Amino acid sequence: MEQPTKQKSVHDADDDGRFSDLPDEMVHHILSFLQMRDLSRLSVVSRRCRELCISNPHLDLSNIDLINSDESSRSRFYSFVDRLISLRCMHRVKTQTFRLLLSFVGGGGGGGGDEYRVATWLQHAVNMGVARVKLELVFDLGKPFDLPLCVLGCNSLRQLKVDAGNGFIKLPSSDFAVTNLQRLALGPVRIEKGCNVGELLSSFKSLKHLRLDKISGIKSMTFTSPSVETLLLTTYDEELCNISIVQEKLQDLFIYWSSKSGGKSLTINAPNLKNFYWAGSAVDYYNCMKDLPHLFNVGMGISFPTQQASCKHIFDKILHSIQRAKCLTISESFVEVLRKEGCLPFLFDNLEYLTVSRTSRGDQVLPLCSLLRGTINLKHLTVSCLSTRGFANVTNSVPSGEFSFKMGYWQSQNFMFTRQLKKVTMELFDREDEVELIKYLLKNAEELEVMEILYTSPVSSDLITEIRKYKKPSTKLLLCSTILYNKMRCVRPDHDI
């Protein structure tokens, strides 16, 4: 590959600064932090700087800093990019990474030929053997972006990510010859009627990671890619009714399917699945066509509309499909639905790690007990909260005198998992009930090594003294204060007692 000459003139000797002492790879990395305006200025400093700007294998283009600029500034930007690409083509500079962050709104565009210009730049990257392409395009609301055929048909391409912001990506209706694409992320994705997206994606024989965000436009979708190992799928479209996943090599499946209408169905045939996360709305039809003997991690956060008819048979199928999981994270709202539908207790004989995530202040004791009765081999139990609202004065939602969740209640459950339980993390939500459970576990968990108690409001010394009465000498008891900032949790250990 021919590169721009690196021979310096006498006039360039003092203009380069310290660039002359750095290897090209390091300088190229430094250049990746510059905006296009600064890069254009650097290119005229010296011949050496010009060569480095041209020979950079990582081409990063953005007009975001020019959104509020005048037409003359935007025109100079496009002229600079066109000239830079022309010089790269002349010197046959191989492009490893092509990133384009471009806005076509608020004055950021360059006129009616914006999409043609983008397609031209992409064609250049394809011709120069690009391996990774990342497009972040900001269009007018609802405007689609036609993904050029040259990109999906590029044999050198290994990774492709396209984010159309408020617009949509339109997939071509034709398939392709065998390419080497390994990672594909598209979203939001509008699929034209008549386009067989499953057949389209199955033409990528080397594809291992597939992410499709906010799919819309079709009623049914079947994934049959022979090589995909990771699939992430999100959709809010009411029109999409049927999703079928038939992938022999699939190991990681992430589904978020939110819909207010009924008549939805989900079919899974993935015998090598290891990690399965499903959130959103419950479906009316669910079928796991084969056992999942390799299943390890499962996350369940399915909501169940109150007006929807009973779906016990659906939930029974879901539970049987995840029965072999070793680690389970489940929302308390879904556990409550399972209990009310009569699906619990259910035997999770392989389950060793259980996390129950709370999202409300309702009665959590009965659902939690129903779930724990089926966990005979549990070693790690975590009960966490997703909200800090109402922590200060939370009371049991069950009327006084109707139920009593004191030590005697927990003793009467005869839980099997206490024989080998090793660690418990409990976030205080309903103080009275949870403290009783903590005392029960400290007293009855024979192999317990760590009890970690998380809280947001101060814990009284009387409560600490009461808990310590049940602590075995071999158990490490930790009290940690927690603070939630949006979705991030900060945990500060207070002391070990």
Side-chain angles (χ1 to χ4, degrees):
M1 179 184 68
E2 183 182 353
Q3 297 283 352
T5 176
K6 297 183 180 181
Q7 184 178 359
K8 296 197 306 176
S9 67
V10 176
H11 299 287
D12 293 329
D14 297 327
D15 293 336
D16 294 345
R18 297 183 178 180
F19 274 159
S20 301
D21 301 327
L22 298 176
D24 287 0
E25 294 80 6
M26 185 175 296
V27 177
H28 289 151
H29 179 70
I30 295 173
L31 296 183
S32 67
F33 294 97
L34 298 181
Q35 294 182 343
M36 289 303 301
R37 183 182 304 181
D38 298 323
L39 195 65
S40 64
R41 292 168 177 168
L42 179 65
S43 65
V44 298
V45 169
S46 68
R47 179 181 298 177
R48 168 68 169 158
C49 291
R50 177 172 177 270
E51 293 168 355
L52 288 168
C53 291
I54 296 173
S55 63
N56 193 346
H58 307 289
L59 187 56
D60 194 335
L61 307 178
S62 173
N63 74 337
I64 297 302
D65 60 323
L66 298 174
I67 290 179
N68 298 318
S69 300
D70 54 30
E71 184 65 31
S72 176
S73 297
R74 295 193 295 272
S75 178
R76 288 196 298 270
F77 162 75
Y78 284 111
S79 297
F80 170 73
V81 173
D82 289 338
R83 186 168 62 254
L84 175 63
I85 288 179
S86 176
L87 290 171
R88 290 171 63 88
C89 290
M90 180 186 304
H91 294 285
R92 302 193 60 80
V93 178
K94 185 176 179 61
T95 302
Q96 296 179 14
T97 304
F98 179 79
R99 180 178 178 268
L100 178 61
L101 176 56
L102 205 64
S103 173
F104 298 138
V105 297
D114 290 332
E115 292 189 45
Y116 174 78
R117 192 186 300 269
V118 171
T120 301
W121 294 347
L122 286 171
Q123 184 65 61
H124 152 73
V126 169
N127 293 339
M128 294 297 103
V130 67
R132 296 178 296 274
V133 171
K134 182 178 180 180
L135 304 178
E136 297 179 59
L137 309 175
V138 183
F139 286 92
D140 293 318
L141 185 63
K143 180 179 177 60
F145 171 70
D146 291 305
L147 192 61
L149 288 172
C150 67
V151 177
L152 291 178
C154 177
N155 286 321
S156 63
L157 193 62
R158 298 295 186 273
Q159 300 179 21
L160 172 63
K161 180 179 180 180
V162 185
D163 183 350
N166 290 328
F168 291 86
I169 303 165
K170 289 177 61 177
L171 296 177
S173 57
S174 59
D175 55 1
F176 307 91
V178 177
T179 65
N180 296 313
L181 188 65
Q182 297 176 1
R183 304 178 70 95
L184 175 62
L186 303 174
V189 184
R190 175 184 294 165
I191 301 172
E192 297 297 308
K193 288 180 173 59
C195 173
N196 189 332
V197 64
E199 182 178 348
L200 174 67
L201 296 173
S202 65
S203 63
F204 298 102
K205 305 301 182 182
S206 300
L207 190 64
K208 296 184 180 299
H209 301 268
L210 173 61
R211 175 171 183 157
L212 300 177
D213 285 335
K214 300 179 183 178
I215 297 175
S216 64
I218 58 175
K219 294 183 177 180
S220 181
M221 180 179 302
T222 300
F223 294 91
T224 58
S225 302
S227 58
V228 170
E229 298 177 358
T230 300
L231 172 62
L232 191 151
L233 176 67
T234 65
T235 178
Y236 302 87
D237 190 17
E238 298 294 334
E239 186 177 4
L240 183 59
C241 296
N242 305 303
I243 296 178
S244 180
I245 300 169
V246 184
Q247 298 183 169
E248 185 74 20
K249 294 185 178 181
L250 189 65
Q251 297 183 17
D252 308 303
L253 176 60
F254 305 83
I255 299 178
Y256 185 87
W257 191 358
S258 179
S259 176
K260 297 179 181 179
S261 60
K264 310 298 183 182
S265 70
L266 175 63
T267 301
I268 298 175
N269 186 347
N272 291 299
L273 195 63
K274 294 181 180 179
N275 303 298
F276 181 25
Y277 298 88
W278 181 9
S281 308
V283 296
D284 298 287
Y285 176 82
Y286 173 79
N287 184 24
C288 187
M289 299 176 63
K290 289 185 179 181
D291 290 336
L292 305 176
H294 307 290
L295 197 61
F296 187 86
N297 282 306
V298 172
M300 286 284 154
I302 308 172
S303 61
F304 186 76
T306 55
Q307 69 274 14
Q308 190 169 338
S310 174
C311 289
K312 182 180 184 303
H313 62 290
I314 299 295
F315 295 134
D316 282 337
K317 288 183 177 180
I318 294 175
L319 290 175
H320 279 91
S321 67
I322 65 174
Q323 184 176 13
R324 298 187 182 184
K326 188 173 182 179
C327 305
L328 173 62
T329 299
I330 190 167
S331 66
E332 49 84 15
S333 57
F334 186 46
V335 176
E336 173 64 3
V337 170
L338 293 175
R339 185 186 72 85
K340 289 183 176 180
E341 292 292 321
C343 301
L344 297 177
F346 183 85
L347 181 61
F348 290 97
D349 49 359
N350 287 337
L351 192 62
E352 295 185 10
Y353 302 84
L354 173 62
T355 299
V356 181
S357 300
R358 295 183 171 184
T359 56
S360 68
R361 292 191 297 162
D363 168 33
Q364 311 304 326
V365 175
L366 297 179
L368 182 60
C369 286
S370 299
L371 181 62
L372 290 176
R373 289 191 195 106
T375 58
I376 60 177
N377 293 309
L378 194 63
K379 294 181 179 179
H380 293 252
L381 172 63
T382 300
V383 181
S384 64
C385 304
L386 302 183
S387 174
T388 60
R389 297 178 182 176
F391 264 47
N393 297 301
V394 177
T395 58
N396 196 340
S397 62
V398 179
S400 178
E402 185 172 344
F403 288 95
S404 177
F405 299 123
K406 300 296 184 181
M407 178 69 75
Y409 172 82
W410 297 108
Q411 293 283 10
S412 67
Q413 301 305 304
N414 295 319
F415 293 125
M416 300 292 291
F417 71 88
T418 56
R419 297 177 180 177
Q420 67 282 321
L421 189 64
K422 300 288 186 182
K423 181 180 179 180
V424 175
T425 299
M426 184 76 64
E427 187 166 353
L428 297 184
F429 194 78
D430 187 330
R431 289 294 180 87
E432 183 177 354
D433 291 337
E434 289 159 354
V435 169
E436 291 297 314
L437 176 56
I438 289 171
K439 292 190 294 186
Y440 164 77
L441 293 175
L442 285 172
K443 179 180 179 180
N444 294 276
E446 301 171 3
E447 302 295 330
L448 188 63
E449 298 174 354
V450 178
M451 169 67 75
E452 185 178 31
I453 302 174
L454 308 180
Y455 60 92
T456 55
S457 55
V459 178
S460 67
S461 58
D462 292 340
L463 179 58
I464 296 176
T465 301
E466 184 179 359
I467 291 175
R468 290 188 63 180
K469 294 178 182 178
Y470 296 86
K471 174 183 174 294
K472 296 183 179 67
S474 59
T475 302
K476 188 176 183 180
L477 186 59
L478 300 176
L479 268 71
C480 305
S481 60
T482 66
I483 302 175
L484 297 182
Y485 296 104
N486 295 328
K487 294 185 179 180
M488 298 184 297
R489 183 188 306 276
C490 301
V491 179
R492 179 175 63 85
D494 275 4
H495 51 277
D496 174 13
I497 60 176

